[in-house]
Amino acid sequence: MASEKKRVRPQHQLAVAERRDDDWHALIGRAAARDEAAFAELYDRSSALVHGLVLRILREPAIAEEVTLDVYLQVWRQAERYDPARGSVRAWLLLLARSRAIDHRRAAAVEPRERETVDHARLLPAAQPGPEDCAAISERRLLVTRACVDLAPEQRQVIELAYFRGFSHSEIAAELGQPLGTVKTRIRAGMTRLRETLQKSGAATW
């Protein structure tokens, strides 16, 4: 009897894995069609897996969280490129995560002298903006305000709380009663949409 139970358990695990892959495949397909709710659900279901791999590679929780968000920004941009013939969604996500983490680790290996030069440049006092700069800043603010109108309501809501009212991601999640991962995903997707809108209008990206 015990041996029969041992044989059934792997079959059950396989069935669960297949259902998960089917669910994720459906979500990535909807995300490719710019379904933000599906993308947020995919993030909620899979981000722990992706973050775990990134953390094992980078070994720094704060950086791993940021790289994980970068992975999902790439997923949002390239969801239509997912090819089920080349592997499961799980395998695709882990491939992106590994690539992003390794790229970040390589980029972090900057020569100390170069890093000191950059840090020194950041400490230099900025010149006061002149009349032309002030006019450009005012015009840009107007463009950003107009671009926010094109966002989905849930994106505009979190971006307004984060960037116009100074809420942290955790505070937004508490304010709206939403998972923290969902809030971060919507902020990322909204910022991507803003950049695209500003690029089309000829404004500089940020």
Side-chain angles (χ1 to χ4, degrees):
M1 181 66 69
S3 60
E4 291 180 358
K5 289 183 179 180
K6 290 181 180 179
R7 287 196 298 269
V8 172
R9 183 174 178 78
Q11 293 176 353
H12 173 70
Q13 292 176 336
L14 179 60
V16 171
E18 289 176 347
R19 285 198 300 271
R20 178 204 60 202
D21 290 342
D22 288 343
D23 290 343
W24 290 10
H25 181 264
L27 291 173
I28 201 70
R30 289 165 55 195
R34 290 300 178 259
D35 184 331
E36 292 161 11
F39 179 60
E41 185 176 351
L42 177 66
Y43 178 93
D44 290 339
R45 292 191 183 190
S46 62
S47 58
L49 177 71
V50 170
H51 180 265
L53 175 61
V54 173
L55 182 60
R56 284 198 297 274
I57 295 173
L58 298 178
R59 302 183 182 278
E60 295 187 40
I63 296 176
E65 181 177 351
E66 185 66 23
V67 172
T68 298
L69 291 176
D70 287 339
V71 170
Y72 282 92
L73 180 57
Q74 182 177 358
V75 171
W76 174 251
R77 289 173 173 171
Q78 301 179 355
E80 70 279 0
R81 297 186 186 180
Y82 166 67
D83 182 3
R86 301 180 63 179
S88 66
V89 175
R90 178 181 184 275
W92 185 62
L93 291 174
L94 292 178
L95 179 64
L96 294 179
R98 181 178 182 276
S99 177
R100 279 277 178 176
I102 291 176
D103 286 346
H104 188 280
R105 189 170 62 184
R106 288 172 178 168
V110 180
E111 290 296 331
R113 183 176 300 175
E114 294 179 359
R115 185 171 300 171
E116 289 174 5
T117 300
V118 173
D119 292 340
H120 176 69
R122 288 175 178 171
L123 293 174
L124 292 177
Q128 292 296 324
E132 292 182 359
D133 292 331
C134 290
I137 292 171
S138 297
E139 181 181 357
R140 183 169 179 174
R141 285 175 179 170
L142 179 60
L143 288 171
V144 171
T145 301
R146 290 176 177 173
C148 283
V149 176
D150 295 332
L151 296 176
E154 59 272 17
Q155 291 177 349
R156 184 167 59 252
Q157 183 182 41
V158 294
I159 285 178
E160 286 177 349
L161 289 173
Y163 294 95
F164 299 145
R165 296 180 58 184
F167 280 39
S168 69
H169 293 177
S170 298
E171 289 171 340
I172 295 172
E175 176 74 13
L176 301 179
Q178 296 175 352
L180 180 58
T182 299
V183 168
K184 292 182 177 180
T185 300
R186 288 177 176 173
I187 289 175
R188 287 277 181 169
M191 292 298 292
T192 300
R193 180 69 178 273
L194 279 177
R195 290 190 184 99
E196 292 172 352
T197 302
L198 291 172
Q199 285 175 340
K200 291 178 181 178
S201 67
T205 56
W206 40 280

